[in-house]
Amino acid sequence: QVQLVESGGGVAQAGGSLRLSCVAHGMSFTINTMGWYRQAPGKQRESVAVISTGSSPKYADSVKGRFTISRDAPKQTVYLQMNSLKPEDTAVYYCNVKGDTEAGVFGSWGQGTQVTVSS
C-alpha cells in the first residue's frame, strides 16, 4: 500500500505564493504519474497539474503560467509551486499518485490540504 503525506497549505493573500509538497511512502513501488487536484466548496474535484514519467507536465488552463509542478524522483516527492494566487484558487488540494507494485497497479490520494486565498 502506498500512502501519501501532504504539507504546505495555508492562507495567502491574493498575489502571494504557497508551495505544496507530497511524499509517497510504501514498499516496492514504482511511480508513473504524480498530480495535484483541488476541490472547492460545492464543486467537483478537478485536475490542477499532472506530471508523468517521460512526459511534459500538464496544467489546467486556469493555473497555466502561475503554478508549477515538479517531481523529485529519488525522494518520491511532488511539489506544486503556486504563484500569483487568486481567491478562486481557494480549495482543498489533493495529491494523487499512480504506479505499480508487485501486486499490480495502484492509485493513491493524499488526505488533502486547505489553501485559502484572501482578496
Side-chain angles (χ1 to χ4, degrees):
Q1 186 176 3
V2 179
Q3 295 182 331
L4 307 180
V5 178
E6 303 173 13
S7 61
V11 179
Q13 290 190 335
S17 299
L18 287 172
R19 188 190 193 210
L20 306 182
S21 300
C22 172
V23 184
H25 298 279
M27 297 288 289
S28 301
F29 64 95
T30 301
I31 294 174
N32 297 323
T33 300
M34 306 184 87
W36 290 96
Y37 294 72
R38 67 186 181 187
Q39 187 167 17
K43 295 187 177 181
Q44 290 188 333
R45 190 174 298 188
E46 63 175 356
S47 175
V48 176
V50 176
I51 185 167
S52 299
T53 302
S55 299
S56 299
K58 295 180 174 58
Y59 296 94
D61 288 342
S62 58
V63 307
K64 282 181 181 177
R66 300 188 297 121
F67 291 10
T68 302
I69 188 171
S70 61
R71 174 180 171 183
D72 187 332
K75 294 184 178 179
Q76 297 173 330
T77 300
V78 63
Y79 305 96
L80 186 68
Q81 178 66 43
M82 304 184 292
N83 299 328
S84 302
L85 283 163
K86 302 177 180 180
E88 50 263 44
D89 294 320
T90 295
V92 178
Y93 283 70
Y94 297 90
C95 175
N96 176 263
V97 173
K98 299 181 179 68
D100 300 287
T101 68
E102 294 178 347
V105 299
F106 76 90
S108 297
W109 289 95
Q111 78 279 10
T113 184
Q114 178 70 46
V115 171
T116 302
V117 183
S118 61
S119 58

